[in-house]
Amino acid sequence: MDNREEVREFLTSRRARISPERVGLPAGPRRRVPGLRRSEVAALADMSVEYYAKLERGTLAGVSPAVLEAVARALQLDDAERAHLLHLARAADGSDLLARPRRRTGRPWTPHRSLQWTLDAVTAGPAFVRNGRMDILAANPLARAFYSDLYATGGNQANLARFQFLDPAARHFYPDWEAFADMAVAILRTEAGRDPHDKDLHDLVGELSTRSDAFRTRWGAHDVRVHGTGTKRFHHPVVGALTLAYEGLDMAAEPGLTLTVYAAEPGSPSEEGLRLLASWASTEAPAAPPARTPPAG
């Protein structure tokens, strides 16, 4: 799959966000483009303007790590953006083949029983497995209760991005909806760079771009992120406000999948809220969703 357009838009968007003053250059009164000029990025990266222009046109195939590092340094990329640029370069020349998530068969995917045992052993907080498209593939009972609004609407297809942008319930569930929307799109954009051959991801992005202005605008920003740890606020329809820490762990046995666990601070109102949610989950929470078929992990 040709990813030159993705490369071009990513590099252009990163260049546009850097002001001349930020890199010690005079702004000048006659600038026609936002941010830096190509010639300025080329000078900062210690390469010719012609060569940098070639890169920005999307030609990353065969580019050396040293050149990628020079571009990353000139554009002041953070760790997530550097990784994204590396993934784009690997995809351009096909060297990402072994690192791509394994293609699964068309049979419905179910978690190995030991994985489900592990999830079910987590009783104090929601725990679930998702792929880079944000499909929830396996969950413990508390996670199904936690995401009761997501499972309540079949059209969400147990997908966090669809819930975020297409389900009105998300506006209530996420008090910081704008920040969550930014995170969701950045996760999908990161996955698109990591595995540009995922047709289901392309279909999801197309669906959300068509149906949500908020998604389409964010997708065009080309922001990426590493989503590993942090704290989030929620408002659950049954137990109310929750402030939870989360940890996301890449699964060595299932490349491309992430195990996420939410936890509350001991002794906090949120911990009591999770206890109440666990009690509700034992009798009222939605049943586990049907097995899914994630062809790209």
Side-chain angles (χ1 to χ4, degrees):
M1 183 176 295
D2 189 338
N3 71 342
R4 283 179 293 183
E5 181 178 356
E6 174 75 14
V7 173
R8 180 171 61 251
E9 292 179 357
F10 177 67
L11 291 179
T12 301
S13 67
R14 300 308 92 175
R15 176 165 60 86
R17 71 180 182 172
I18 301 178
S19 66
E21 295 89 346
R22 185 170 160 184
V23 294
L25 296 172
R30 301 179 61 183
R31 286 188 170 266
R32 298 180 181 178
V33 296
L36 298 179
R37 300 184 177 101
R38 285 195 187 97
S39 59
E40 292 167 335
V41 175
L44 290 169
D46 195 24
M47 63 183 64
S48 71
V49 178
E50 292 76 15
Y51 186 68
Y52 177 74
K54 177 183 176 182
L55 299 180
E56 198 173 278
R57 287 195 296 270
T59 308
L60 286 187
V63 174
S64 71
V67 169
L68 295 175
E69 174 58 28
V71 171
R73 186 174 59 252
L75 294 176
Q76 300 185 5
L77 304 186
D78 61 24
D79 289 344
E81 292 166 334
R82 285 171 182 261
H84 187 61
L85 180 62
L86 182 60
H87 289 146
L88 292 175
R90 287 175 173 172
D93 60 21
S95 61
D96 67 331
L97 184 60
L98 292 178
R100 292 177 201 162
R102 294 192 302 270
R103 297 284 153 178
R104 296 179 172 88
T105 68
R107 296 191 303 272
W109 184 87
T110 55
H112 191 275
R113 60 179 184 171
S114 62
L115 172 58
Q116 192 62 58
W117 293 343
T118 301
L119 291 171
D120 291 344
V122 180
T123 58
F128 61 93
V129 173
R130 67 161 177 85
N131 59 20
R133 292 189 305 273
M134 303 187 72
D135 296 318
I136 294 183
L137 305 176
N140 68 354
L142 196 48
R144 292 192 290 272
F146 181 67
Y147 285 118
S148 57
D149 278 345
L150 179 147
Y151 290 123
T153 303
N156 290 328
Q157 300 177 46
N159 180 273
L160 291 167
R162 283 193 183 92
F163 176 63
Q164 175 77 45
F165 290 99
L166 304 182
D167 193 327
R171 295 276 183 172
H172 184 71
F173 184 67
Y174 300 126
D176 305 310
W177 187 92
E178 297 286 343
F180 273 79
D182 292 343
M183 290 179 195
V185 175
I187 291 170
L188 293 180
R189 178 61 83 176
T190 301
E191 180 67 6
R194 188 176 70 93
D195 187 9
H197 308 272
D198 185 343
K199 181 181 182 300
D200 286 350
L201 176 59
H202 284 274
D203 291 345
L204 175 63
V205 169
E207 175 191 356
L208 296 178
S209 296
T210 300
R211 300 179 62 187
S212 170
D213 291 341
F215 177 87
R216 185 167 56 252
T217 299
R218 286 172 169 83
W219 186 253
H222 286 263
D223 291 332
V224 295
R225 66 175 283 136
V226 175
H227 194 68
T229 186
T231 302
K232 297 178 179 178
R233 296 194 306 139
F234 305 91
H235 192 280
H236 193 273
V238 174
V239 300
L242 295 169
T243 298
L244 304 177
Y246 68 91
E247 294 289 337
L249 308 172
D250 292 337
M251 297 179 59
E254 291 284 352
L257 302 189
T258 300
L259 169 63
T260 300
V261 180
Y262 283 107
E265 181 180 355
S268 68
S270 293
E271 184 183 45
E272 178 60 25
L274 286 182
R275 290 198 188 100
L276 293 174
L277 185 60
S279 176
W280 178 77
S282 66
T283 57
E284 302 291 341
R292 297 180 56 83
T293 306

